[in-house]
Amino acid sequence: VTSDDADRRAGADMACKDFVELITAYLDGALPDDVRTRVDEHLDLCDGCQNVLAQWRTIIALAGQLTEADVENTDEITRDRLLSIVRGLRRR
Ligand SMILES: [Zn+2]
């Protein structure tokens, strides 16, 4: 078994939670091309993650004004990421 084939299958079948793990790097343009391609493929197939991505873009645009109370309304994984983004942006 070559790990390359396994990786490719995993990529085509990327789980939404994997997408969430990658989304900040994706938005930063920090992903390697092959990973970014997998994310784009997942986005083509997954309306849910398209919506999440759109929300993130909005949130990042608004992050300077976002409060931690706003973030409390999101799910746990997203909340952790959001809080680190919000805090990171405020440090600038
Ligand atoms: Zn998804």
Side-chain angles (χ1 to χ4, degrees), residues 16 42 46 49:
C16 296
H42 181 78
C46 183
C49 286

Side-chain angles (χ1 to χ4, degrees), residues 14-17 19 42-43 45-50:
M14 179 186 276
C16 296
K17 87 177 160 46
F19 173 78
H42 181 78
L43 284 168
L45 300 171
C46 183
D47 288 346
C49 286
Q50 285 178 34

Side-chain angles (χ1 to χ4, degrees), residues 10 13 19 25 44 54 56 62 77:
D13 204 26
F19 173 78
D44 278 347
W56 274 84
L62 296 174
I77 294 169

Side-chain angles (χ1 to χ4, degrees), residues 4-77:
D4 200 44
D5 282 350
D7 285 348
R8 228 183 288 279
R9 254 196 309 280
D13 204 26
M14 179 186 276
C16 296
K17 87 177 160 46
D18 294 332
F19 173 78
V20 171
E21 290 294 316
L22 295 170
I23 193 165
T24 53
Y26 180 85
L27 288 165
D28 280 347
L31 290 177
D33 284 349
D34 59 331
V35 179
R36 189 179 179 88
T37 299
R38 286 205 229 164
V39 171
D40 285 336
E41 285 172 357
H42 181 78
L43 284 168
D44 278 347
L45 300 171
C46 183
D47 288 346
C49 286
Q50 285 178 34
N51 288 334
V52 171
L53 183 64
Q55 285 175 9
W56 274 84
R57 289 201 159 116
T58 303
I59 286 163
I60 288 168
L62 296 174
Q65 303 146 37
L66 196 68
T67 66
E68 293 189 10
D70 294 327
V71 177
E72 290 299 315
N73 295 323
T74 63
D75 69 83
E76 193 177 335
I77 294 169

